[in-house]
Amino acid sequence: MERHVDIGDMTGAAYGPGRSTAQRRAVAAAAASFAGAFSADDLAERVRGTDPEISRATVYRSIAAMTASRYITEVGEREGSALYTRCAESGHHHHVVCTGCGATAHTPCPIDVAGAAAAAPDGFVVTSHEVRLYGLCAACSDVARDADGCSCDADAAPTDPATA
Amino acid sequence: MERHVDIGDMTGAAYGPGRSTAQRRAVAAAAASFAGAFSADDLAERVRGTDPEISRATVYRSIAAMTASRYITEVGEREGSALYTRCAESGHHHHVVCTGCGATAHTPCPIDVAGAAAAAPDGFVVTSHEVRLYGLCAACSDVARDADGCSCDADAAPTDPATA
DNA sequence: ATGTATGCAAACAATTTGCACGACC
DNA sequence: GGTCGTGCAAATTGTTTGCATACAT
């Protein structure tokens, strides 16, 4: 839920190796501008505000580069498309995505907390895992209780509640 | 959550509501014949042994029906396609999929074990989750240690280890 | 220079769907 | 007989890729 976005370093490459191009900088800035989760389309749409000429292929390639350099992380999916979030935290953890407003929050890895034994029965050795959590942020769950419109201020693209 | 599926009752519909047709019975039997995880293609290929004329659309529609009736469960993915497994257990749990041979094993839900608090920080209410575990079964991890070929006997379609 | 990034458009692949026909109850 | 399931083939859709050009280093 917290935000550690250092905008202001958009003069150089905002993430990892690779060349610093106007498009890449624009995409990185757009990614950082989301308070929560965003899809490739959300990102593309937002980048168009900066660079209307940017191509979808470039957005996808930038997402791949940002994911590889851990500038962003895939946190779930919505309607068949992947959701990402800007995350500057190091260490193994996961994210909860608010299905109401797209806000995200960190969570410790439940598998680490539960212990390997629980996850690896019968001699299985767990080598990798994926944990995706969906829910409602404090603001959206208040709203849900009040049966009113969502009023939280996250500017991420809203998610279809049906997905939950 | 409960199940009303009687295995061994392949004369009628092997799962849920809907009509009992030869194709549906063949698909259900094929699904049950896998020792571990299988993809839609794996299933289609195996069903062809019984009914070479079955269409891919029917396989997908049967998968949807079997998933809805909890006769099978989606347990992960491999190379972009979903993996399912036959599962007769009731109660909330997850599966580990062996990336070597496709074998599966049950595991308690790590999120339940870890406790809601860990998964739901900052006032978030977690409403749904997805947990996918990949690893190596006892046989495959032995093999990995011996740097030899996989000798486990699960007849599920092997999974690309790179996916892990 | 030289190699990487971009754009465009075509390619891809898993899954879904419209439609007409045949099977189940 | 009416409804649901099936087959075929075409459509969908998120994402990837080939290729020629433009740009960063």
Side-chain angles (χ1 to χ4, degrees):
Chain A
M1 199 66 156
E2 61 274 270
R3 201 156 309 127
H4 310 274
V5 184
D6 303 86
I7 321 179
D9 173 35
M10 287 303 156
T11 51
Y15 57 88
R19 293 183 177 171
S20 176
T21 64
Q23 292 91 329
R24 247 129 129 124
R25 264 174 273 134
V27 175
S33 77
F34 283 94
F38 55 87
S39 66
D41 261 349
D42 295 333
L43 188 55
E45 190 175 340
R46 183 160 298 189
V47 173
R48 273 180 228 127
T50 305
D51 180 350
E53 300 301 306
I54 205 155
S55 79
R56 199 173 310 270
T58 295
V59 171
Y60 275 106
R61 285 189 273 233
S62 295
I63 286 174
M66 293 190 290
T67 299
S69 67
R70 300 178 184 283
Y71 182 76
I72 61 175
T73 310
E74 190 177 337
V75 290
E77 66 167 44
R78 182 185 64 205
E79 292 162 26
S81 51
L83 288 179
Y84 308 87
T85 200
R86 169 85 177 84
C87 177
E89 298 295 312
S90 59
H92 182 58
H93 65 280
H94 298 279
H95 298 84
V96 201
V97 179
C98 177
T99 52
C101 67
T104 58
H106 297 265
T107 70
C109 175
I111 292 170
D112 286 350
V113 177
D122 298 332
F124 259 80
V125 178
V126 175
T127 54
S128 70
H129 65 264
E130 264 176 62
V131 172
R132 284 155 172 201
L133 303 167
Y134 301 95
L136 293 170
C137 66
C140 288
S141 52
D142 280 349
V143 166
R145 266 192 289 284
D146 299 350
D148 199 357
C150 181
S151 64
C152 57
D153 62 346
D155 62 345
T159 299
D160 183 347
T163 303
Chain B
M1 209 66 137
E2 60 278 89
R3 186 161 320 98
H4 310 278
V5 182
D6 300 274
I7 328 180
D9 173 33
M10 288 301 164
T11 52
Y15 55 88
R19 292 181 180 171
S20 176
T21 64
Q23 292 91 327
R24 247 127 128 128
R25 265 174 272 133
V27 176
S33 77
F34 283 93
F38 54 87
S39 66
D41 260 350
D42 294 332
L43 187 55
E45 189 175 339
R46 183 159 298 192
V47 174
R48 270 178 230 129
T50 305
D51 181 350
E53 300 300 306
I54 206 155
S55 78
R56 201 178 318 271
T58 295
V59 172
Y60 275 107
R61 283 187 276 232
S62 295
I63 286 175
M66 291 189 291
T67 299
S69 69
R70 300 179 185 282
Y71 182 75
I72 61 175
T73 311
E74 190 178 338
V75 291
E77 66 167 44
R78 181 186 65 206
E79 292 163 25
S81 51
L83 288 179
Y84 308 87
T85 199
R86 169 85 179 82
C87 177
E89 298 296 311
S90 59
H92 181 57
H93 65 281
H94 299 278
H95 299 84
V96 202
V97 180
C98 177
T99 52
C101 67
T104 58
H106 297 263
T107 71
C109 175
I111 292 170
D112 287 349
V113 177
D122 299 332
F124 259 79
V125 177
V126 174
T127 54
S128 70
H129 65 264
E130 261 175 66
V131 172
R132 284 155 173 201
L133 302 167
Y134 301 95
L136 293 171
C137 66
C140 287
S141 50
D142 280 348
V143 166
R145 266 192 289 283
D146 299 349
D148 200 357
C150 181
S151 65
C152 57
D153 62 345
D155 64 341
T159 300
D160 183 348
T163 302

